[in-house]
């Protein structure tokens, strides 16, 4: 039997292809440690065709899900083995749909408001505003979105839905969502900082657009939805939410009794900075009135050398929607941004733990065919404290030592 002689260049090519295939297979089956981006990415891929966006060198990555309502589930600054920054609620997957809300997690998810009030989207007309009647609209809770297009840096998704608010107004809505991962130079430009080589970073921008797809105008009489961006992150014993606010404005600094008054030892106000413990051990939510809201907020985890910043659109002269579960209050007396720390309920159960930074748009008073856009961006920095401190001082107006010292972390 005559043996075929294969040219060495072909053999070399076969070996390269074989090695590349093996490497890709190893990456997809590698058992990453829980808490890493690789672990969460593998878990999410078991449930959806995840879109992964990466920066040029692949260190910064994020996982975006069309099936789960265009959520950015999580991100990392240090590749597959790096820390996963978003909160993923593993136990929520694979279960029958919850009639109230399906809390899959996600470090940036898009909702619509108002949750409560006379124009609520979460209660049927005439129902009492109690938990048994509360329903999150399926289009932002359980139904898939359409992936319109994507490449390695950016993805566009959309969703159409029809809702009826508490006032009985029928709303035909189209939501469009563009998500883009940012390169280092774009991060520096957006925050007006210079990144130290000793700091790892990942950041992304979301552009969220609502269109009135119906034939009726949305007014103060009919009610109008708002765009609502919610970021869910994993807490730690030494995590603190940091919210700069406008000092020389009238009225209260913050609404602090959404779920009962927040304990005084968990919140601090000083020199135009609100600090709020985010350890996942005590349930509490706060909001900043529109006249005091700035376009930036963040958090610092001293035990993880992690600084997180969110930046978003604000309109200090606009009215915002009141989201409280009551139809009796002025529907246009709400807060301009919110923060939440999870904790045990009265029966001892707990969804998380997690904490949230949230931004909202004003009510979208739109004529048929008109649009409103709300931009919301997330930045994570991990590395040496001294370098993180420079970012915190420049962007949030406070040093890391001041944050730690307030609660003696």
């Amino acid at each position: 039997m005559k043996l075929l002689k294969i040219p060495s260049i072909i053999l070399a090519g076969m070996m390269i292809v074989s090695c590349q295939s093996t490497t890709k297979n190893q990456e997809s089956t590698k058992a990453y440690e829980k808490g890493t981006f690789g672990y969460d990415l593998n878990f999410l891929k078991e449930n959806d065709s995840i879109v992964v966006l990466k920066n040029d060198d692949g260190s910064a990555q994020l996982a975006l899900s069309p099936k789960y309502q265009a959520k950015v589930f999580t991100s990392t600054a240090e590749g597959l083995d790096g820390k996963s920054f978003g909160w993923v609620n593993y136990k929520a997957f694979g279960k029958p749909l919850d009639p109230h809300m399906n809390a899959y997690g996600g470090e940036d998810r898009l909702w619509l408001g108002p949750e409560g009030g006379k124009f609520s989207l979460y209660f049927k007309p005439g129902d009492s505003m109690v938990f048994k009647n509360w329903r999150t609209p399926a289009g932002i809770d359980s139904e898939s979105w359409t992936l319109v297009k994507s490449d390695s840096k950016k993805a566009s998704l959309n969703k159409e839905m029809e809702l009826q608010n508490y006032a009985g107004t029928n709303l035909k809505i189209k939501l469009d969502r563009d998500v883009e991962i940012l390169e280092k130079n774009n991060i520096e430009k957006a925050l007006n900082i210079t990144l130290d080589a000793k700091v790892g970073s990942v950041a992304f921008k979301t552009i969220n657009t609502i269109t009135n797809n119906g034939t009726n105008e949305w007014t103060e009489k009919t009610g109008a939805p708002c765009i609502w961006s919610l970021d869910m992150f994993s807490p730690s014993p030494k995590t603190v939410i940091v919210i700069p606010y406008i000092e020389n404005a009238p009225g209260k600094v913050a609404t602090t009794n959404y779920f009962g008054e927040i304990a005084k030892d968990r919140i601090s106000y000083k020199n135009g900075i609100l600090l709020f413990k985010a350890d996942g051990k005590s349930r509490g939510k706060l909001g900043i009135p529109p006249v005091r809201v700035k376009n930036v907020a963040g958090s610092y985890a001293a035990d993880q050398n992690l600084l997180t910043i969110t930046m978003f659109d604000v309109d200090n002269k606009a009215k915002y929607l009141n989201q409280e579960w009551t139809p009796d209050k002025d529907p246009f007396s709400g807060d301009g941004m919110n923060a939440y720390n999870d904790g045990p309920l009265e029966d001892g159960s707990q969804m998380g733990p997690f904490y949230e930074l949230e931004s909202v748009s004003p009510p979208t008073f739109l004529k048929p065919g008109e649009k409103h856009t709300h931009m919301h961006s997330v930045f994570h920095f991990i590395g040496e404290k001294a370098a993180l401190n420079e970012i915190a001082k420049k962007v949030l107006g406070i040093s890391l030592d001041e944050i730690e010292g307030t609660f003696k972390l």
Side-chain angles (χ1 to χ4, degrees):
M1 182 178 174
K2 187 176 180 180
L3 295 176
L4 293 176
K5 186 174 182 180
I6 302 175
S8 59
I9 188 170
I10 296 179
L11 280 172
M14 291 172 63
M15 290 175 66
I16 291 172
V17 170
S18 176
C19 288
Q20 288 176 339
S21 175
T22 300
T23 300
K24 289 181 179 178
N25 187 56
Q26 287 173 342
E27 287 179 354
S28 64
T29 59
K30 179 180 175 180
Y32 291 94
E33 183 180 347
K34 194 170 185 179
T36 64
F37 181 76
Y39 180 96
D40 283 346
L41 184 59
N42 283 345
F43 174 86
L44 293 167
K45 282 181 175 179
E46 293 175 1
N47 295 276
D48 185 19
S49 299
I50 293 295
V51 175
V52 178
L53 304 183
K54 302 179 181 180
N55 69 349
D56 285 340
D57 65 15
S59 59
Q61 301 187 31
L62 65 83
L64 174 65
S65 170
K67 179 180 177 180
Y68 293 98
Q69 303 79 55
K71 289 179 175 66
V72 176
F73 262 112
T74 189
S75 64
T76 184
E78 299 172 315
L80 294 173
D81 288 302
K83 178 176 173 59
S84 184
F85 294 129
W87 180 71
V88 180
N89 189 14
Y90 309 110
K91 61 187 178 185
F93 292 79
K95 288 186 175 182
L97 290 179
D98 187 299
H100 301 290
M101 171 192 174
N102 292 275
Y104 300 110
E107 80 164 89
D108 185 84
R109 73 182 199 274
L110 183 64
W111 265 19
L112 293 173
E115 185 175 352
K118 65 184 293 185
F119 301 123
S120 170
L121 302 176
Y122 296 70
F123 294 94
K124 293 180 180 179
D127 281 357
S128 57
M129 292 189 178
V130 294
F131 181 76
K132 71 174 183 178
N133 297 326
W134 178 66
R135 300 285 188 277
T136 306
I140 54 172
D141 178 61
S142 57
E143 294 179 351
S144 297
W145 283 43
T146 299
L147 177 63
V148 179
K149 60 182 178 179
S150 67
D151 56 32
S152 61
K153 300 288 179 61
K154 185 177 180 180
S156 298
L157 307 96
N158 65 30
K159 180 69 178 178
E160 294 185 13
M161 62 192 78
E162 294 187 32
L163 305 175
Q164 184 183 57
N165 69 18
Y166 196 73
T169 302
N170 293 316
L171 305 167
K172 291 190 70 174
I173 295 169
K174 183 186 179 188
L175 293 176
D176 289 277
R177 181 160 159 88
D178 294 329
V179 181
E180 181 180 3
I181 197 162
L182 302 180
E183 293 293 337
K184 179 180 176 181
N185 64 313
N186 298 124
I187 296 172
E188 292 178 325
K189 184 177 179 180
L191 299 180
N192 192 25
I193 60 174
T194 300
L195 283 173
D196 192 291
K198 298 175 182 177
V199 171
S201 62
V202 60
F204 59 90
K205 174 176 69 176
T206 70
I207 302 175
N208 309 286
T209 303
I210 186 170
T211 302
N212 181 346
N213 252 13
T215 57
N216 60 304
E217 183 178 355
W218 301 343
T219 68
E220 288 194 11
K221 291 184 178 180
T222 65
C226 69
I227 300 170
W228 190 0
S229 293
L230 304 98
D231 302 332
M232 306 177 82
F233 305 118
S234 297
S236 74
K238 294 187 177 183
T239 297
V240 177
I241 291 170
V242 183
I243 305 175
Y245 60 87
I246 298 170
E247 278 195 283
N248 60 343
K252 62 185 177 183
V253 172
T255 305
T256 55
N257 61 349
Y258 277 90
F259 301 126
E261 189 64 41
I262 296 171
K264 291 183 179 180
D265 64 348
R266 303 190 66 85
I267 191 168
S268 170
Y269 312 84
K270 186 178 181 181
N271 299 327
I273 306 289
L274 185 154
L275 301 178
F276 178 31
K277 283 186 180 180
D279 55 8
K281 295 181 179 180
S282 179
R283 187 169 183 254
K285 180 176 179 177
L286 59 81
I288 310 297
V291 294
R292 291 189 178 272
V293 170
K294 290 190 175 183
N295 71 336
V296 67
S299 63
Y300 172 58
D303 44 1
Q304 299 174 14
N305 290 324
L306 172 62
L307 178 67
T308 295
I309 291 170
T310 61
M311 181 174 284
F312 40 84
D313 286 343
V314 298
D315 185 347
N316 298 115
K317 296 181 179 180
K319 297 178 180 178
Y320 281 72
L321 291 166
N322 190 327
Q323 309 233 32
E324 295 177 84
W325 287 18
T326 173
D328 301 325
K329 293 188 177 182
D330 179 356
F332 305 113
S333 61
D335 291 319
M337 69 84 60
N338 297 93
Y340 173 78
N341 181 54
D342 193 38
L345 300 173
E346 291 182 2
D347 63 3
S349 64
Q350 187 170 357
M351 181 188 297
F354 59 88
Y355 70 97
E356 288 182 321
L357 295 171
E358 309 172 11
S359 74
V360 292
S361 75
T364 55
F365 298 124
L366 301 175
K367 295 178 180 179
E370 288 186 337
K371 302 178 179 181
H372 180 87
T373 294
H374 179 71
M375 288 187 282
H376 182 103
S377 301
V378 178
F379 306 79
H380 296 290
F381 305 99
I382 190 165
E384 289 193 1
K385 181 179 176 180
L388 297 180
N389 187 52
E390 293 306 309
I391 300 172
K393 289 191 297 182
K394 186 70 178 288
V395 180
L396 298 175
I398 188 172
S399 73
L400 299 185
D401 284 341
E402 288 179 272
I403 296 172
E404 294 181 63
T406 299
F407 296 118
K408 299 179 180 178
L409 300 179

